[in-house]
PDB file of all heavy atoms in Angstrom:
ATOM      1  N   PHE A  87    -132.290 -17.130-144.381  1.00 80.00           N
ATOM      2  CA  PHE A  87    -133.034 -18.283-143.909  1.00 80.00           C
ATOM      3  C   PHE A  87    -133.785 -18.933-145.063  1.00 80.00           C
ATOM      4  O   PHE A  87    -134.049 -18.311-146.091  1.00 80.00           O
ATOM      5  CB  PHE A  87    -133.991 -17.861-142.784  1.00 80.00           C
ATOM      6  CG  PHE A  87    -133.252 -17.205-141.653  1.00 80.00           C
ATOM      7  CD1 PHE A  87    -133.299 -15.835-141.467  1.00 80.00           C
ATOM      8  CD2 PHE A  87    -132.473 -17.965-140.790  1.00 80.00           C
ATOM      9  CE1 PHE A  87    -132.601 -15.229-140.438  1.00 80.00           C
ATOM     10  CE2 PHE A  87    -131.770 -17.369-139.759  1.00 80.00           C
ATOM     11  CZ  PHE A  87    -131.826 -16.002-139.576  1.00 80.00           C
ATOM     12  N   GLU A  88    -134.130 -20.194-144.894  1.00 77.00           N
ATOM     13  CA  GLU A  88    -134.781 -20.954-145.957  1.00 77.00           C
ATOM     14  C   GLU A  88    -136.133 -20.370-146.346  1.00 77.00           C
ATOM     15  O   GLU A  88    -136.526 -20.441-147.494  1.00 77.00           O
ATOM     16  CB  GLU A  88    -134.916 -22.420-145.534  1.00 77.00           C
ATOM     17  CG  GLU A  88    -133.561 -23.102-145.443  1.00 77.00           C
ATOM     18  CD  GLU A  88    -133.640 -24.556-145.047  1.00 77.00           C
ATOM     19  OE1 GLU A  88    -134.748 -25.140-145.053  1.00 77.00           O
ATOM     20  OE2 GLU A  88    -132.587 -25.114-144.732  1.00 77.00           O
ATOM     21  N   VAL A  89    -136.823 -19.823-145.367  1.00 80.00           N
ATOM     22  CA  VAL A  89    -138.122 -19.191-145.623  1.00 80.00           C
ATOM     23  C   VAL A  89    -137.958 -17.711-145.278  1.00 80.00           C
ATOM     24  O   VAL A  89    -137.487 -17.386-144.194  1.00 80.00           O
ATOM     25  CB  VAL A  89    -139.220 -19.828-144.742  1.00 80.00           C
ATOM     26  CG1 VAL A  89    -140.542 -19.121-144.931  1.00 80.00           C
ATOM     27  CG2 VAL A  89    -139.339 -21.315-145.041  1.00 80.00           C
ATOM     28  N   PRO A  90    -138.316 -16.800-146.198  1.00 83.00           N
ATOM     29  CA  PRO A  90    -138.173 -15.374-145.884  1.00 83.00           C
ATOM     30  C   PRO A  90    -138.919 -15.026-144.589  1.00 83.00           C
ATOM     31  O   PRO A  90    -140.000 -15.550-144.315  1.00 83.00           O
ATOM     32  CB  PRO A  90    -138.822 -14.670-147.077  1.00 83.00           C
ATOM     33  CG  PRO A  90    -138.782 -15.680-148.180  1.00 83.00           C
ATOM     34  CD  PRO A  90    -138.878 -17.029-147.527  1.00 83.00           C
ATOM     35  N   ALA A  91    -138.299 -14.164-143.796  1.00 86.00           N
ATOM     36  CA  ALA A  91    -138.861 -13.800-142.493  1.00 86.00           C
ATOM     37  C   ALA A  91    -139.262 -12.327-142.494  1.00 86.00           C
ATOM     38  O   ALA A  91    -138.617 -11.501-143.124  1.00 86.00           O
ATOM     39  CB  ALA A  91    -137.823 -14.051-141.401  1.00 86.00           C
ATOM     40  N   SER A  92    -140.326 -12.025-141.775  1.00 89.00           N
ATOM     41  CA  SER A  92    -140.734 -10.629-141.603  1.00 89.00           C
ATOM     42  C   SER A  92    -139.654  -9.920-140.787  1.00 89.00           C
ATOM     43  O   SER A  92    -138.868 -10.572-140.086  1.00 89.00           O
ATOM     44  CB  SER A  92    -142.073 -10.564-140.873  1.00 89.00           C
ATOM     45  OG  SER A  92    -141.890 -10.959-139.521  1.00 89.00           O
ATOM     46  N   PRO A  93    -139.586  -8.589-140.835  1.00 89.00           N
ATOM     47  CA  PRO A  93    -138.590  -7.872-140.028  1.00 89.00           C
ATOM     48  C   PRO A  93    -138.688  -8.223-138.536  1.00 89.00           C
ATOM     49  O   PRO A  93    -137.659  -8.402-137.870  1.00 89.00           O
ATOM     50  CB  PRO A  93    -138.926  -6.399-140.277  1.00 89.00           C
ATOM     51  CG  PRO A  93    -139.554  -6.383-141.633  1.00 89.00           C
ATOM     52  CD  PRO A  93    -140.332  -7.679-141.708  1.00 89.00           C
ATOM     53  N   HIS A  94    -139.902  -8.354-138.044  1.00 90.00           N
ATOM     54  CA  HIS A  94    -140.099  -8.721-136.638  1.00 90.00           C
ATOM     55  C   HIS A  94    -139.525 -10.112-136.351  1.00 90.00           C
ATOM     56  O   HIS A  94    -138.778 -10.315-135.377  1.00 90.00           O
ATOM     57  CB  HIS A  94    -141.595  -8.668-136.302  1.00 90.00           C
ATOM     58  CG  HIS A  94    -141.919  -9.124-134.922  1.00 90.00           C
ATOM     59  ND1 HIS A  94    -141.699  -8.339-133.816  1.00 90.00           N
ATOM     60  CD2 HIS A  94    -142.449 -10.298-134.472  1.00 90.00           C
ATOM     61  CE1 HIS A  94    -142.071  -9.004-132.732  1.00 90.00           C
ATOM     62  NE2 HIS A  94    -142.543 -10.188-133.110  1.00 90.00           N
ATOM     63  N   ARG A  95    -139.859 -11.082-137.192  1.00 92.00           N
ATOM     64  CA  ARG A  95    -139.386 -12.456-136.998  1.00 92.00           C
ATOM     65  C   ARG A  95    -137.872 -12.530-137.191  1.00 92.00           C
ATOM     66  O   ARG A  95    -137.180 -13.249-136.470  1.00 92.00           O
ATOM     67  CB  ARG A  95    -140.107 -13.401-137.966  1.00 92.00           C
ATOM     68  CG  ARG A  95    -139.727 -14.846-137.802  1.00 92.00           C
ATOM     69  CD  ARG A  95    -140.092 -15.392-136.437  1.00 92.00           C
ATOM     70  NE  ARG A  95    -141.456 -15.845-136.457  1.00 92.00           N
ATOM     71  CZ  ARG A  95    -142.239 -15.889-135.396  1.00 92.00           C
ATOM     72  NH1 ARG A  95    -141.787 -15.529-134.232  1.00 92.00           N
ATOM     73  NH2 ARG A  95    -143.474 -16.282-135.488  1.00 92.00           N
ATOM     74  N   LEU A  96    -137.363 -11.763-138.136  1.00 91.00           N
ATOM     75  CA  LEU A  96    -135.925 -11.765-138.381  1.00 91.00           C
ATOM     76  C   LEU A  96    -135.170 -11.305-137.128  1.00 91.00           C
ATOM     77  O   LEU A  96    -134.159 -11.910-136.757  1.00 91.00           O
ATOM     78  CB  LEU A  96    -135.589 -10.866-139.576  1.00 91.00           C
ATOM     79  CG  LEU A  96    -134.121 -10.785-139.975  1.00 91.00           C
ATOM     80  CD1 LEU A  96    -133.546 -12.173-140.244  1.00 91.00           C
ATOM     81  CD2 LEU A  96    -133.964  -9.899-141.195  1.00 91.00           C
ATOM     82  N   ARG A  97    -135.638 -10.259-136.481  1.00 91.00           N
ATOM     83  CA  ARG A  97    -134.997  -9.808-135.242  1.00 91.00           C
ATOM     84  C   ARG A  97    -135.049 -10.911-134.180  1.00 91.00           C
ATOM     85  O   ARG A  97    -134.092 -11.115-133.436  1.00 91.00           O
ATOM     86  CB  ARG A  97    -135.643  -8.518-134.736  1.00 91.00           C
ATOM     87  CG  ARG A  97    -135.210  -7.288-135.519  1.00 91.00           C
ATOM     88  CD  ARG A  97    -135.603  -5.984-134.847  1.00 91.00           C
ATOM     89  NE  ARG A  97    -137.039  -5.830-134.637  1.00 91.00           N
ATOM     90  CZ  ARG A  97    -137.903  -5.450-135.578  1.00 91.00           C
ATOM     91  NH1 ARG A  97    -137.478  -5.193-136.795  1.00 91.00           N
ATOM     92  NH2 ARG A  97    -139.181  -5.328-135.300  1.00 91.00           N
ATOM     93  N   GLN A  98    -136.154 -11.628-134.121  1.00 93.00           N
ATOM     94  CA  GLN A  98    -136.249 -12.733-133.164  1.00 93.00           C
ATOM     95  C   GLN A  98    -135.268 -13.847-133.512  1.00 93.00           C
ATOM     96  O   GLN A  98    -134.626 -14.423-132.622  1.00 93.00           O
ATOM     97  CB  GLN A  98    -137.683 -13.267-133.138  1.00 93.00           C
ATOM     98  CG  GLN A  98    -138.663 -12.295-132.511  1.00 93.00           C
ATOM     99  CD  GLN A  98    -140.083 -12.818-132.584  1.00 93.00           C
ATOM    100  OE1 GLN A  98    -140.495 -13.445-133.568  1.00 93.00           O
ATOM    101  NE2 GLN A  98    -140.854 -12.555-131.520  1.00 93.00           N
ATOM    102  N   TYR A  99    -135.134 -14.139-134.791  1.00 92.00           N
ATOM    103  CA  TYR A  99    -134.169 -15.158-135.220  1.00 92.00           C
ATOM    104  C   TYR A  99    -132.742 -14.734-134.849  1.00 92.00           C
ATOM    105  O   TYR A  99    -131.937 -15.551-134.398  1.00 92.00           O
ATOM    106  CB  TYR A  99    -134.234 -15.376-136.725  1.00 92.00           C
ATOM    107  CG  TYR A  99    -135.383 -16.201-137.230  1.00 92.00           C
ATOM    108  CD1 TYR A  99    -136.356 -16.736-136.392  1.00 92.00           C
ATOM    109  CD2 TYR A  99    -135.493 -16.462-138.596  1.00 92.00           C
ATOM    110  CE1 TYR A  99    -137.403 -17.483-136.888  1.00 92.00           C
ATOM    111  CE2 TYR A  99    -136.541 -17.221-139.098  1.00 92.00           C
ATOM    112  CZ  TYR A  99    -137.486 -17.724-138.245  1.00 92.00           C
ATOM    113  OH  TYR A  99    -138.518 -18.475-138.749  1.00 92.00           O
ATOM    114  N   LEU A 100    -132.445 -13.476-135.059  1.00 92.00           N
ATOM    115  CA  LEU A 100    -131.103 -12.994-134.737  1.00 92.00           C
ATOM    116  C   LEU A 100    -130.838 -13.105-133.239  1.00 92.00           C
ATOM    117  O   LEU A 100    -129.737 -13.465-132.817  1.00 92.00           O
ATOM    118  CB  LEU A 100    -130.920 -11.556-135.222  1.00 92.00           C
ATOM    119  CG  LEU A 100    -130.995 -11.368-136.741  1.00 92.00           C
ATOM    120  CD1 LEU A 100    -130.881  -9.899-137.100  1.00 92.00           C
ATOM    121  CD2 LEU A 100    -129.943 -12.196-137.459  1.00 92.00           C
ATOM    122  N   PHE A 101    -131.854 -12.825-132.445  1.00 93.00           N
ATOM    123  CA  PHE A 101    -131.684 -12.968-130.998  1.00 93.00           C
ATOM    124  C   PHE A 101    -131.542 -14.441-130.623  1.00 93.00           C
ATOM    125  O   PHE A 101    -130.720 -14.797-129.763  1.00 93.00           O
ATOM    126  CB  PHE A 101    -132.845 -12.318-130.244  1.00 93.00           C
ATOM    127  CG  PHE A 101    -132.587 -12.231-128.771  1.00 93.00           C
ATOM    128  CD1 PHE A 101    -131.668 -11.330-128.265  1.00 93.00           C
ATOM    129  CD2 PHE A 101    -133.259 -13.075-127.896  1.00 93.00           C
ATOM    130  CE1 PHE A 101    -131.410 -11.258-126.901  1.00 93.00           C
ATOM    131  CE2 PHE A 101    -133.017 -13.006-126.531  1.00 93.00           C
ATOM    132  CZ  PHE A 101    -132.086 -12.103-126.032  1.00 93.00           C
ATOM    133  N   ALA A 102    -132.291 -15.316-131.255  1.00 94.00           N
ATOM    134  CA  ALA A 102    -132.153 -16.759-131.007  1.00 94.00           C
ATOM    135  C   ALA A 102    -130.741 -17.207-131.364  1.00 94.00           C
ATOM    136  O   ALA A 102    -130.124 -18.011-130.645  1.00 94.00           O
ATOM    137  CB  ALA A 102    -133.192 -17.541-131.810  1.00 94.00           C
ATOM    138  N   ASN A 103    -130.214 -16.662-132.453  1.00 92.00           N
ATOM    139  CA  ASN A 103    -128.843 -16.969-132.846  1.00 92.00           C
ATOM    140  C   ASN A 103    -127.864 -16.507-131.772  1.00 92.00           C
ATOM    141  O   ASN A 103    -126.922 -17.233-131.432  1.00 92.00           O
ATOM    142  CB  ASN A 103    -128.511 -16.311-134.188  1.00 92.00           C
ATOM    143  CG  ASN A 103    -127.057 -16.501-134.565  1.00 92.00           C
ATOM    144  OD1 ASN A 103    -126.220 -15.686-134.211  1.00 92.00           O
ATOM    145  ND2 ASN A 103    -126.783 -17.585-135.266  1.00 92.00           N
ATOM    146  N   ALA A 104    -128.086 -15.324-131.232  1.00 92.00           N
ATOM    147  CA  ALA A 104    -127.204 -14.805-130.185  1.00 92.00           C
ATOM    148  C   ALA A 104    -127.245 -15.702-128.945  1.00 92.00           C
ATOM    149  O   ALA A 104    -126.206 -15.979-128.340  1.00 92.00           O
ATOM    150  CB  ALA A 104    -127.590 -13.373-129.827  1.00 92.00           C
ATOM    151  N   LEU A 105    -128.425 -16.164-128.563  1.00 93.00           N
ATOM    152  CA  LEU A 105    -128.543 -17.049-127.400  1.00 93.00           C
ATOM    153  C   LEU A 105    -127.807 -18.372-127.636  1.00 93.00           C
ATOM    154  O   LEU A 105    -127.087 -18.864-126.768  1.00 93.00           O
ATOM    155  CB  LEU A 105    -130.010 -17.321-127.086  1.00 93.00           C
ATOM    156  CG  LEU A 105    -130.813 -16.138-126.550  1.00 93.00           C
ATOM    157  CD1 LEU A 105    -132.292 -16.516-126.445  1.00 93.00           C
ATOM    158  CD2 LEU A 105    -130.275 -15.684-125.204  1.00 93.00           C
ATOM    159  N   TYR A 106    -127.999 -18.941-128.824  1.00 93.00           N
ATOM    160  CA  TYR A 106    -127.341 -20.207-129.147  1.00 93.00           C
ATOM    161  C   TYR A 106    -125.822 -20.034-129.189  1.00 93.00           C
ATOM    162  O   TYR A 106    -125.076 -20.833-128.628  1.00 93.00           O
ATOM    163  CB  TYR A 106    -127.858 -20.752-130.485  1.00 93.00           C
ATOM    164  CG  TYR A 106    -127.193 -22.048-130.864  1.00 93.00           C
ATOM    165  CD1 TYR A 106    -127.606 -23.240-130.274  1.00 93.00           C
ATOM    166  CD2 TYR A 106    -126.154 -22.094-131.781  1.00 93.00           C
ATOM    167  CE1 TYR A 106    -126.993 -24.439-130.595  1.00 93.00           C
ATOM    168  CE2 TYR A 106    -125.536 -23.281-132.104  1.00 93.00           C
ATOM    169  CZ  TYR A 106    -125.951 -24.447-131.506  1.00 93.00           C
ATOM    170  OH  TYR A 106    -125.339 -25.634-131.813  1.00 93.00           O
TER     171      TYR A 106
END
Side-chain angles (χ1 to χ4, degrees):
F87 303 105
E88 292 181 12
V89 176
S92 70
H94 176 77
R95 182 63 86 207
L96 181 55
R97 284 192 301 280
Q98 290 176 323
Y99 283 1
L100 296 177
F101 190 72
N103 175 270
L105 291 173
Y106 179 79

